[in-house]
Amino acid sequence: MSFRKRIAFYLEDIDTPTGKALNLLITGLVLLSVAIFVAQTYPLSEEWRTVLGALDLALLLLFSLEYLLRLWCAEDRLKFVFSLFGLIDLMAILPFFLGAVDIRFIRIFRWFRILRLARFFEGRTVFGYVTTEDSAIFARILFTLFSIVFVYSGLIYQVEHPVNPEQFNTFFDAIYFSISTISTAGLGDVVPITDGGRSLTILMLLTGILFIPWQLGDLIKQLVKTGTRVAVQCLNCDLSVHDQDALFCKNCGTRLPAKPEIFLGESDTNPTQVENVIK
């Protein structure tokens, strides 16, 4: 394996110790950058702002290096640039490349960094294998809801804070407004006053209406589907739900533990069949 292919492998791999450690590090850096952004919305001393600013710059440099490595390793670089994760990664580092031009509105893209974590919520994750498909769908629903609230809260805060600091003083005020709005509680004590803030609120509601019911529908269909499956754990990958007549794991191909009661119906079970299944 060439050095370029080895780098590409570890950037996507979450099975080997090296790949898992690398992706856990990237996840930690994303969460750290998000924490810095949230902290910067609160009143801080000049000393702390300087420290957080330097740390934020260092993280931007690391994210830029990661993006360039992914671009270099991609077999089709143009396809990578315009892929979903490629665009998310690019928006996460765009403030670094455009900072010298002082385009202040571009800072709203920093809130999209949290979406980089979406790559870790498909099947085998950096935190371990999601053993049931309904658990994976449920995890994606929670992540989708969190992403909608977090990203739109950041965007609304960026737009509203300069002209409406009394109601949108910190990031928590924007979170409070987003949750009360998307949950249809509509308390009305915090409201946007700019056209940009109101437009983002409409987009937030439309995004929630579009994605949440769709994923809930997937979850309901999956729950109905799993009603015809049984719990038998694969000894290799720990996948715990399989079809009633499955002899091999559908994820890794390993032979499943022989359990006659799983593969045979009650009316069909007899000593001869049991012996054949075990063999």
Side-chain angles (χ1 to χ4, degrees), residues 35-188:
I36 291 174
F37 295 150
V38 173
Q40 287 176 333
T41 67
Y42 288 84
L44 298 172
S45 65
E46 193 62 33
E47 180 181 357
W48 271 107
R49 288 199 174 275
T50 302
V51 171
L52 292 179
L55 187 56
D56 185 39
L57 178 60
L59 290 174
L60 274 173
L61 288 172
L62 289 175
F63 290 144
S64 301
L65 176 61
E66 182 209 355
Y67 178 80
L68 293 176
L69 281 175
R70 290 184 184 274
L71 181 62
W72 176 60
C73 294
E75 295 184 4
D76 188 339
R77 294 190 174 100
L78 187 62
K79 183 178 179 180
F80 168 76
V81 170
F82 290 100
S83 66
L84 175 61
F85 289 130
L87 290 172
I88 290 175
D89 289 344
L90 181 60
M91 285 189 293
I93 63 174
L94 211 54
F96 174 70
F97 290 109
L98 299 179
V101 196
D102 195 25
I103 304 179
R104 296 186 182 276
F105 76 89
I106 212 70
R107 293 177 64 192
I108 65 175
F109 287 147
R110 68 188 191 178
W111 301 104
F112 284 91
R113 287 185 189 176
I114 194 66
L115 297 181
R116 290 161 52 95
L117 299 180
R119 70 172 85 239
F120 302 132
F121 283 84
E122 297 292 335
R124 181 176 289 278
T125 71
V126 71
F127 305 106
Y129 192 82
V130 180
T131 55
T132 59
E133 293 181 31
D134 46 339
S135 298
I137 296 174
F138 184 68
R140 285 197 295 270
I141 291 175
L142 291 180
F143 180 75
T144 300
L145 182 60
F146 172 76
S147 298
I148 291 173
V149 170
F150 188 92
V151 171
Y152 277 103
S153 295
L155 296 174
I156 292 172
Y157 173 82
Q158 291 286 135
V159 172
E160 287 290 321
H161 178 70
V163 296
N164 191 15
E166 294 81 11
Q167 292 191 326
F168 290 89
N169 186 38
T170 66
F171 181 74
F172 182 77
D173 294 330
I175 286 283
Y176 169 78
F177 164 75
S178 297
I179 292 178
S180 64
T181 300
I182 206 169
S183 65
T184 69
L187 301 179

Side-chain angles (χ1 to χ4, degrees), residues 12-30:
E12 299 297 332
D13 172 64
I14 49 179
D15 290 323
T16 66
T18 302
K20 190 169 186 177
L22 178 60
N23 281 282
L24 278 173
L25 176 62
I26 294 173
T27 303
L29 292 178
V30 172

Side-chain angles (χ1 to χ4, degrees), residues 257-273:
K259 293 187 178 182
E261 67 276 11
I262 288 177
F263 303 114
L264 301 174
E266 293 180 2
S267 60
D268 298 328
T269 304
N270 60 58
T272 303
Q273 290 176 313

